[in-house]
Amino acid sequence: MSVARSVRRGVARLSWVQRALLAGAVLTVVWMSWDVGGLNERLVRDTLVYILAPLALAVRHGRHLGYRVDRTVVRNTVLLSLFVLPFYVVGSSLPTIRAYYPMWETSPALAQFLPHAVMQFVVALAAETYYRGLLCVGVREIGFKSVFISPVVYAFHHLYKPPIELALSGPTDVLFGAVDYKSNSILPSVVAHGVGLGLLDWLVLHPPLLAPERVVRWFQWLPIPL
């Protein structure tokens, strides 16, 4: 018996949840192995690896990854977006955040910023399709514990980010996952993440709304650079 045939038979015996988690592991390896040099390349990689591949897997198995909308979803989308809004506003005044963002070159000129924001939104859509779609809503049959599948991977992918963002990445992942799980939709996290990224870049490209010195004093008790 060939190795390929043995692998196919082994995969055939896996449940949907097991296949989703296996696919998630493979996709994150592919994502990390695929170096990109700019936002355009990032857009291509993330669309292929984090949107099209998970959706193809879901369609093949008759599953959904949270691409749905109803009144509850819209309500939760608004509430989550309003909840995270202050974090983006306050964060945009922190020196480490202002030094890191925007991640890709852009300017406040709308002709340049709007395409940049749209592409970043698609990148956020890709991330949420993978983290909250494939690894949370897509396997919600295992119960609320599906919310806790992706935080470690999510935090690992933020190791190169400012320390304050890394510290918040795990709790943020759990929050986004919990809202999406309850909504049975990834729209809340897609909007909160995608619009939030655009807002953060826009704020960083302009004078801070809050004095950085004041914000640093608020959080100086944290044992990390701000």
Side-chain angles (χ1 to χ4, degrees), residues 89-154:
V89 173
V90 173
S92 69
S93 296
L94 289 171
T96 56
I97 297 295
R98 296 186 69 84
Y100 184 83
Y101 287 93
M103 290 187 290
W104 297 283
E105 185 177 356
T106 186
S107 80
L110 291 181
Q112 185 174 355
F113 183 80
L114 288 180
H116 166 86
V118 170
M119 287 190 287
Q120 280 213 134
F121 188 90
V122 176
V123 168
L125 170 63
E128 298 307 324
T129 299
Y130 172 74
Y131 291 111
R132 254 62 67 180
L134 180 64
L135 300 180
C136 182
V137 175
V139 295
R140 71 192 311 272
E141 64 196 65
I142 67 174
F144 190 74
K145 57 179 173 286
S146 63
V147 169
F148 300 98
I149 292 176
S150 65
V152 174
V153 179
Y154 190 70

Side-chain angles (χ1 to χ4, degrees), residues 22-224:
L22 176 61
V26 171
L27 290 175
T28 200
V29 170
V30 172
W31 188 90
M32 294 177 66
S33 302
W34 186 343
D35 292 329
V36 296
L39 182 53
N40 289 330
E41 294 180 18
R42 173 72 180 268
L43 192 66
V44 172
R45 180 191 65 182
D46 288 16
T47 298
L48 291 174
V49 178
Y50 278 172
I51 296 180
L52 297 182
L55 287 178
L57 180 69
V59 169
R60 177 177 173 81
H61 291 84
R63 303 284 179 153
H64 84 88
L65 301 183
Y67 277 57
R68 56 177 297 277
V69 180
D70 60 24
R71 289 184 178 180
T72 299
V73 172
V74 172
R75 180 200 65 194
N76 291 347
T77 299
V78 172
L79 291 176
L80 180 62
S81 298
L82 290 176
F83 179 81
V84 301
L85 177 62
F87 291 88
Y88 285 111
V89 173
V90 173
S92 69
S93 296
L94 289 171
T96 56
I97 297 295
R98 296 186 69 84
Y100 184 83
Y101 287 93
M103 290 187 290
W104 297 283
E105 185 177 356
T106 186
S107 80
L110 291 181
Q112 185 174 355
F113 183 80
L114 288 180
H116 166 86
V118 170
M119 287 190 287
Q120 280 213 134
F121 188 90
V122 176
V123 168
L125 170 63
E128 298 307 324
T129 299
Y130 172 74
Y131 291 111
R132 254 62 67 180
L134 180 64
L135 300 180
C136 182
V137 175
V139 295
R140 71 192 311 272
E141 64 196 65
I142 67 174
F144 190 74
K145 57 179 173 286
S146 63
V147 169
F148 300 98
I149 292 176
S150 65
V152 174
V153 179
Y154 190 70
F156 182 74
H157 285 171
H158 283 69
L159 287 177
Y160 60 92
K161 296 289 188 72
I164 184 65
E165 186 173 354
L166 173 61
L168 291 174
S169 61
T172 300
D173 184 87
V174 173
L175 172 64
F176 281 18
V179 175
D180 285 0
Y181 174 86
K182 292 297 185 181
S183 307
N184 196 21
S185 169
I186 65 171
L187 183 65
S189 62
V190 168
V191 173
H193 190 179
V195 174
L197 279 179
L199 174 63
L200 181 62
D201 279 358
W202 180 258
L203 292 173
V204 169
L205 289 169
H206 293 81
L209 295 179
L210 302 170
E213 298 81 6
R214 179 187 303 173
V215 177
V216 169
R217 284 199 302 270
W218 290 347
F219 300 104
Q220 62 184 356
W221 52 273
L222 291 172
I224 54 177

